[in-house]
């Protein structure tokens, strides 16, 4: 077997390049999977949030007979958010789907804020035990969504930083890795969990 410098260079350099390429590719896959896993945590909390809203609206209906437009707005925003959530769940690393989800969740949070503001004018609704429980559960879920969103955004930042670094960007582009997008609430007033007071 020939161990000359020429043979080592001829065989060693290509092998090192392949190992280098494979290690970068595998790290990109691992970081992308962390982003998907972090989104799965958001997905669970959003599903819980979406499941609570029909019960909240149903309870409020008996008290808010003159606020039908507000109630319909909440249900409409919820349905749009559920649709956007399903689409984003299919590929959480797709930036356009995450943008649509962010926008839909912002609209839902805004609609919930209007419902809570209207409910302030109805003391019987504020005193209803079922409504109080639902609002407390919703507030708790909002907090969990915020924590899960932060973890997801951290994962996206790590993935994007690694993906955009040289020479990783060459391998990422060649391998078809898409940009991941942060999950940010589009509605400025929705950046904070809705205030619930009794």
């Amino acid at each position: 077997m020939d161990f000359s410098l020429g043979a080592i260079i001829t065989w060693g350099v290509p092998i090192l390049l392949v190992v280098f390429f494979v290690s970068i590719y595998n790290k990109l896959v691992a970081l992308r999977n962390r982003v998907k896993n972090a989104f799965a945590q958001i997905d669970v909390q959003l599903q819980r949030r979406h499941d609570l809203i029909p019960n909240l609206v149903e309870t409020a209906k008996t008290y808010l007979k003159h606020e039908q437009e507000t109630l319909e707005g909440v249900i409409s925003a919820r349905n749009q958010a559920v649709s956007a959530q399903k689409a984003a769940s299919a590929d959480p690393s797709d930036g356009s789907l995450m943008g649509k989800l962010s926008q839909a969740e912002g609209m839902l949070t805004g609609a919930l804020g209007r419902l809570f503001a209207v409910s302030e004018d109805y003391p019987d609704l504020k005193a209803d035990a079922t409504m109080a429980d639902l609002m407390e559960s919703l507030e708790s879920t909002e907090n969990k969504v915020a924590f899960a969103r932060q973890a997801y955004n951290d994962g996206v930042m790590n993935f994007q930083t690694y993906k955009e670094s040289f020479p990783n960007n060459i391998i990422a582009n060649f391998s078809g890795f898409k940009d991941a997008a942060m999950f940010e609430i589009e509605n400025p007033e929705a950046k904070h969990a809705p205030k619930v007071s009794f």
Side-chain angles (χ1 to χ4, degrees):
M1 186 150 205
D2 182 19
F3 286 108
S4 68
L5 182 60
I8 292 173
I9 291 174
T10 303
W11 292 103
V13 170
I15 290 172
L16 285 175
L17 287 174
V18 168
V19 169
F20 182 68
F21 174 85
V22 169
S23 71
I24 290 174
Y25 181 86
N26 287 342
K27 177 114 185 213
L28 285 164
V29 169
L31 290 171
R32 181 181 60 192
N33 287 341
R34 285 185 192 149
V35 168
K36 288 179 180 181
N37 181 55
F39 181 78
Q41 304 310 312
I42 293 174
D43 198 39
V44 168
Q45 298 308 323
L46 289 179
Q47 186 62 49
R48 183 170 187 257
R49 178 187 198 212
H50 299 158
D51 291 346
L52 285 170
I53 290 171
N55 296 331
L56 184 75
V57 169
E58 228 14 76
T59 302
K61 259 185 197 177
T62 57
Y63 297 98
L64 303 178
K65 292 181 173 94
H66 304 293
E67 305 291 345
Q68 198 63 32
E69 186 178 323
T70 301
L71 295 171
E72 289 172 1
V74 170
I75 291 299
S76 174
R78 181 233 180 231
N79 292 341
Q80 290 175 7
V82 167
S83 177
Q85 176 195 359
K86 286 180 183 173
S89 294
D91 187 6
S93 61
D94 185 332
S96 66
L97 294 176
M98 288 307 296
K100 289 176 184 175
L101 177 61
S102 295
Q103 184 177 22
E105 286 297 326
M107 291 173 60
L108 176 57
T109 301
L112 285 171
R114 287 186 289 283
L115 174 63
F116 295 149
V118 166
S119 70
E120 290 293 317
D121 296 336
Y122 295 85
D124 291 342
L125 177 59
K126 287 173 54 175
D128 184 279
T130 302
M131 187 68 169
D133 288 345
L134 287 168
M135 291 177 91
E136 185 178 316
S137 293
L138 188 59
E139 184 175 11
S140 169
T141 301
E142 295 289 343
N143 290 334
K144 290 176 184 175
V145 168
F147 288 127
R149 186 175 63 231
Q150 181 61 48
Y152 171 82
N153 287 343
D154 289 346
V156 167
M157 185 186 68
N158 290 337
F159 173 73
Q160 285 298 119
T161 300
Y162 188 78
K163 181 182 165 294
E164 293 170 6
S165 300
F166 181 80
N168 306 350
N169 58 349
I170 295 168
I171 295 167
N173 290 335
F174 177 76
S175 302
F177 284 88
K178 297 182 221 168
D179 285 343
M182 299 280 191
F183 180 39
E184 299 173 330
I185 303 296
E186 296 292 321
N187 182 348
E189 56 191 59
K191 289 193 182 223
H192 307 287
K195 298 280 185 209
V196 180
S197 60
F198 294 97

